[in-house]
Amino acid sequence: CYPFRPYQLILAPEILHSIRTAGGRSDVLAGATRSLLGITQGVLAREENGYKQAEIGKVVPFDQIYSELQDVEIPHQIRAEISGVDQRIPKQEFSLKRLLQTLFLVQQLDYIPTSPRNLALLMADHIDTDLKTLESQIIKGLEQLRTAAYVVESGGLYKYISGEERDDAELIAQKKAEVKTIHRREK
């Protein structure tokens, strides 16, 4: 599995299946093995990832899996919103784009809690990463994203929101609407 973590090779096809099912694709069950091979080969071959010359201990963070899926599998609106986070939130202590990419993928599977700790485990890029420090950076990043209405928090778990959901969250954050008003509009 190395430099992938064993669970990544299980999660990647399940996430891909979930994205394809949500998009109404008919080929959701076909090609899981081929897709996994394409993802792993793509991550390892990209020069900017640096696996060819890396020392032992470098592992694949989850956002690099997103990079392999984005052009074909991720809806355009989601890609555009995630790519635009750097312009929208210029002063970042932690890469919010990487955080959103990871959060988007993980929330495709209901059984993975989207807690800061789990996000830190998924985003660590080395075996020796200090997870407590990374988790505290992720918490700060999630707060920036929550303030900019990219994510919502409930019970210590986070969810990336897009499109109309994000418009509603921005209105609520700016106190221009109440949750009741948004709920009525949905009905």
Side-chain angles (χ1 to χ4, degrees), residues 15 19 39 43 46 60-83 97-98 100-106 160:
I15 288 169
I19 291 169
I39 291 167
V43 167
R46 282 186 190 255
V60 176
F62 225 62
D63 56 285
Q64 289 179 358
I65 293 172
Y66 176 96
S67 295
E68 292 306 312
L69 296 175
Q70 72 179 347
D71 292 334
V72 177
E73 304 296 342
I74 309 296
H76 173 72
Q77 177 189 353
I78 304 293
R79 285 193 326 260
E81 287 178 359
I82 290 175
S83 293
K97 183 176 175 182
R98 288 186 59 219
L100 282 176
Q101 291 171 340
T102 302
L103 187 57
F104 172 78
L105 289 180
V106 172
Y160 163 69

Side-chain angles (χ1 to χ4, degrees), residues 89-96 136-141 144:
I89 307 173
K91 295 182 181 180
Q92 301 177 13
E93 294 182 32
F94 182 78
S95 173
L96 300 180
S136 70
Q137 292 172 333
I138 286 172
I139 289 170
K140 289 176 187 173
Q144 283 186 294

